[in-house]
Amino acid sequence: MRVAKLQDGLEGTELALPIHSDDGRLLLAAGTKLNKRLIRLLQSHGYTRVAINDPISNNIDLDDAITFETRLQAEKALGNAVDKLVRGYSPDMYEIADAVDAIMFDLKRKSKVSMGIYSIHSFDESTFTHSINVCVLSLAIAGALDWPTSKMRELGTGAMLHDVGKILMPLPILNKPGKLTNEEYELIKTHAEKGWQLLLDCFEVSPYASKSALEHHERLDGSGYPRNLTSSEISDLGKITAVADVYEAMTADRPHRKAIFPELVYAHMSEGKDTQFDGTLVDTLFSTVALFPNGTILSFEGDYVGVVTKQDSRSSFRPYVRIIEGPGIVKPVEISLYEEPDMKIKLILDDYSPESRERISKAFGGEATDSPR
Ligand SMILES: [Fe+2]
């Protein structure tokens, strides 16, 4: 199984996970074979990526940090809360609290090997996906640092709702593909304070948990917003949410740009250690999260192409890879990147071209379209 870009080239490919509409209705079941009409249907619902089974990704588990059901539960909880808020009612916090507990439960069951964080949800809901991923990342960092359960619950709630102020921002500016003007940027910056006020006034969130919303854009050296707080003034919740937020934002596709290469994100965040971000939190994040989650297709120097098959506890930068194409490759070869330091990763491939998939599938047993489950 792997996550692939939704495009016509996926015709004949089998969905690996069910797909739901915004209101939670089942749109397509797992195992459905995609055709042009279904691809258009998903595109009309804003989907840009889907989980598929194909020969390249045979026997690979996505290994998402949380289960599919938990992700759906969190999406529904967030959706209901925002919906109620918009209609002028107080959101039911028990749904959010249950979703946070479900995430904590899933994370506890994970091994020490780094975990994948996937974005396979529709574009319109990118703020939801972002919020859930920031919640998962924040809790993963806190869990690795052995935070007590009660404090993790506050963190999880705050992180899940850290961007809630964005519901008060105009959509055309939020989704603007180009660079924001100064005025637009100043307006967007108000989401932190507005979200904090919403959490205090409308949600039954503690003043402590609401710090995630207020402080997630603050930086240790005072260069952040809205209050230019410095290290000792920023709460631990604000610091942890900031690290998770920046990592998630940089590694996901955004309306105005593509995801940034994880090693560049690492370089950026390492550079900001103890000036912008808490160094311990940055180190914990990069030892906890898989930089190249299972199913990612990578190209290497020397014209090799491979797919990540599993993570290696020795390094979150160097997983196991199945090399599927390259000089001298006649059948797939599994290698440990950790043990092959000369294999230099060049790019994350958006997808593997249909022609290449066809050719490789034939070479590897002729299962181009009828992939085994
Ligand atoms: Fe934000």
Side-chain angles (χ1 to χ4, degrees):
M1 189 197 301
R2 68 188 177 93
V3 175
K5 195 175 163 190
L6 185 63
Q7 54 179 333
D8 287 352
L10 291 187
E11 261 186 277
T13 311
E14 192 182 85
L15 280 180
L17 293 173
I19 291 185
H20 294 80
S21 63
D22 296 355
D23 54 7
R25 276 180 307 118
L26 182 70
L27 275 180
L28 297 175
T32 305
K33 280 220 170 132
L34 290 172
N35 57 34
K36 264 213 178 75
R37 188 180 62 78
L38 296 178
I39 290 170
R40 295 284 170 274
L41 172 78
L42 292 177
Q43 284 169 336
S44 73
H45 278 268
Y47 276 83
T48 53
R49 285 163 194 272
V50 286
I52 57 163
N53 284 314
D54 69 355
I56 294 167
S57 59
N58 198 13
N59 297 328
I60 296 176
D61 289 326
L62 276 194
D63 197 30
D64 197 350
I66 54 173
T67 65
F68 176 73
E69 289 74 22
T70 300
R71 197 171 270 283
L72 201 64
Q73 181 185 351
E75 268 180 20
K76 276 188 189 159
L78 256 181
N80 288 342
V82 169
D83 195 47
K84 278 206 157 177
L85 197 64
V86 170
R87 289 190 288 121
Y89 298 99
S90 283
D92 295 321
M93 280 311 293
Y94 69 89
E95 272 192 296
I96 300 272
D98 282 353
V100 169
D101 275 355
I103 292 171
M104 284 168 55
F105 180 79
D106 285 1
L107 288 175
K108 268 213 183 110
R109 288 156 54 116
K110 298 300 285 189
S111 64
K112 285 279 173 234
V113 181
S114 41
M115 57 185 84
I117 306 281
Y118 295 88
S119 296
I120 48 175
H121 298 272
S122 64
F123 203 61
D124 289 343
E125 290 184 302
S126 59
T127 302
F128 280 6
T129 306
H130 170 71
S131 297
I132 294 163
N133 283 347
V134 168
C135 175
V136 173
L137 287 163
S138 299
L139 288 172
I141 297 170
L145 294 171
D146 288 326
W147 278 29
T149 304
S150 57
K151 208 169 148 180
M152 297 236 328
R153 283 205 174 102
E154 301 246 41
L155 169 67
T157 308
M160 176 97 79
L161 298 167
H162 76 283
D163 259 346
V164 78
K166 283 195 176 163
I167 63 172
L168 300 175
M169 302 292 120
L171 263 184
I173 300 182
L174 270 186
N175 291 333
K176 186 173 169 179
K179 214 173 173 291
L180 297 182
T181 65
N182 281 346
E183 296 79 61
E184 287 169 339
Y185 185 50
E186 288 305 316
L187 179 67
I188 290 294
K189 277 162 73 174
T190 64
H191 81 275
E193 192 124 15
K194 285 185 173 151
W196 173 64
Q197 280 162 357
L198 277 177
L199 287 190
L200 290 178
D201 298 345
C202 307
F203 290 78
E204 290 160 37
V205 170
S206 72
Y208 178 55
S210 63
K211 297 267 186 192
S212 278
L214 180 64
E215 298 175 355
H216 70 278
H217 289 289
E218 297 289 1
R219 297 293 177 257
L220 302 193
D221 58 6
S223 62
Y225 67 82
R227 299 184 175 181
N228 306 105
L229 301 179
T230 52
S231 181
S232 61
E233 301 166 306
I234 309 172
S235 67
D236 46 5
L237 253 66
K239 286 176 185 163
I240 216 165
T241 315
V243 167
D245 180 46
V246 169
Y247 178 82
E248 212 288 328
M250 291 180 88
T251 52
D253 286 332
R254 280 282 173 277
H256 55 286
R257 58 147 179 81
K258 299 265 310 151
I260 296 167
F261 196 64
E263 283 175 338
L264 292 178
V265 178
Y266 177 72
H268 168 80
M269 293 188 74
S270 298
E271 220 177 79
K273 266 203 253 180
D274 296 325
T275 51
Q276 298 203 49
F277 313 110
D278 182 299
T280 306
L281 298 180
V282 172
D283 290 341
T284 310
L285 168 77
F286 282 99
S287 61
T288 309
V289 170
L291 269 76
F292 305 103
N294 297 357
T296 306
I297 297 180
L298 299 171
S299 73
F300 295 87
E301 284 179 10
D303 282 339
Y304 291 96
V305 175
V307 55
V308 177
T309 52
K310 61 179 179 181
Q311 300 299 313
D312 192 329
S313 57
R314 294 170 292 186
S315 165
S316 51
F317 289 86
R318 308 291 290 169
Y320 290 90
V321 168
R322 181 182 299 159
I323 300 295
I324 50 180
E325 193 173 350
I329 300 293
V330 283
K331 63 183 185 107
V333 192
E334 300 261 350
I335 60 163
S336 149
L337 289 185
Y338 185 79
E339 287 166 15
E340 305 265 355
D342 291 340
M343 283 294 280
K344 299 261 186 313
I345 302 170
K346 240 170 52 181
L347 287 172
I348 294 175
L349 298 186
D350 227 2
D351 200 4
Y352 212 52
S353 76
E355 304 76 47
S356 307
R357 273 194 280 136
E358 184 86 13
R359 187 160 37 83
I360 282 171
S361 301
K362 279 194 181 126
F364 291 177
E367 287 166 315
T369 49
D370 278 323
S371 63
R373 295 221 51 199

